[in-house]
Amino acid sequence: MSRIDESKTFIPTRIALLTVSDTRGFDQDASGDILQGRIEEAGHQLADRKILRDDRDEIAAQLRLWCADTNIDVVISTGGTGLTGRDVTVEAHRDVYEKEIDAFGTVFTMVSFQKIGTSAVQSRATGGVANGTYLFALPGSKGACKDAWDEILKWQLDFRHMPCNFVEILPRLDEHLRRK
């Protein structure tokens, strides 16, 4: 079973946060505020925070910029993961991914199912890796952001989490790009 190994030292990650919305500004971004609060409360650093409209090319361009920034380890987006015509965040993420973390969406669905039942099928939450950076696309609802952080990301972004976590392999994500 998973646990925190208190003998290890916590390693903070640098996280960029993107809210995808055609209608919200920072003063109405409750989901972004929730995630920022949890990121900082856990001891991580908020490296950047932006709001973009539902535009696949703009979202992908921002993700690529953050993946190229050596001061960012993780990108979390919220919004645009549903089924409507304007929901293009998942497609933008997949335009950028080198590898998809298939189980992230599966585990998120399992967590969501416990809270909202079969309505969990409407989410397309996803995770992946690009240029040595983790990327996660979360739904825009406050509840979904809380669930994704509290049940998955809080633990996987903690170096002390056992038996394994995302932080311990972070230095190796881009090893295929290095010269031998």
Side-chain angles (χ1 to χ4, degrees):
M1 199 62 172
S2 64
R3 63 182 175 85
I4 295 294
D5 182 347
E6 297 292 345
S7 70
K8 290 185 170 186
T9 302
F10 178 80
I11 299 173
T13 60
R14 299 159 300 187
I15 302 174
L17 181 57
L18 175 64
T19 297
V20 177
S21 175
D22 286 336
T23 59
R24 281 186 268 170
F26 283 108
D27 55 330
Q28 302 101 16
D29 185 16
S31 293
D33 290 344
I34 286 168
L35 287 168
Q36 180 175 345
R38 279 167 161 73
I39 288 165
E40 293 170 345
E41 180 182 305
H44 299 288
Q45 176 188 348
L46 184 69
D48 200 0
R49 182 174 172 187
K50 294 193 181 309
I51 296 179
L52 291 178
R53 60 191 183 95
D54 294 275
D55 181 280
R56 181 176 178 170
D57 293 336
E58 287 182 32
I59 296 165
Q62 184 60 59
L63 297 176
R64 284 187 187 99
L65 282 173
W66 279 335
C67 287
D69 186 337
T70 57
N71 293 310
I72 295 176
D73 304 310
V74 179
V75 175
I76 301 173
S77 68
T78 175
T81 64
L83 302 173
T84 72
R86 296 290 297 151
D87 291 324
V88 296
T89 303
V90 173
E91 289 75 17
H93 271 252
R94 289 183 173 146
D95 289 344
V96 176
Y97 290 167
E98 294 166 4
K99 294 181 180 180
E100 190 159 357
I101 306 170
D102 297 315
F104 179 80
T106 302
V107 172
F108 179 80
T109 301
M110 291 168 55
V111 168
S112 294
F113 183 79
Q114 298 300 313
K115 308 280 175 93
I116 61 172
T118 60
S119 295
V121 302
Q122 293 189 33
S123 171
R124 298 183 305 134
T126 184
V129 175
N131 200 31
T133 305
Y134 288 110
L135 300 107
F136 302 99
L138 310 180
S141 78
K142 295 181 288 188
C145 289
K146 290 175 186 175
D147 291 344
W149 182 268
D150 295 347
E151 304 294 332
I152 305 169
L153 295 174
K154 172 183 176 180
W155 306 109
Q156 282 298 300
L157 295 177
D158 190 330
F159 178 70
R160 304 167 302 164
H161 183 266
M162 303 305 288
C164 59
N165 58 76
F166 290 143
V167 179
E168 67 188 348
I169 60 172
L170 184 61
R172 296 183 51 216
L173 293 181
D174 63 354
E175 64 191 0
H176 66 289
L177 301 174
R178 294 185 217 135
R179 289 182 123 158
K180 294 185 180 201

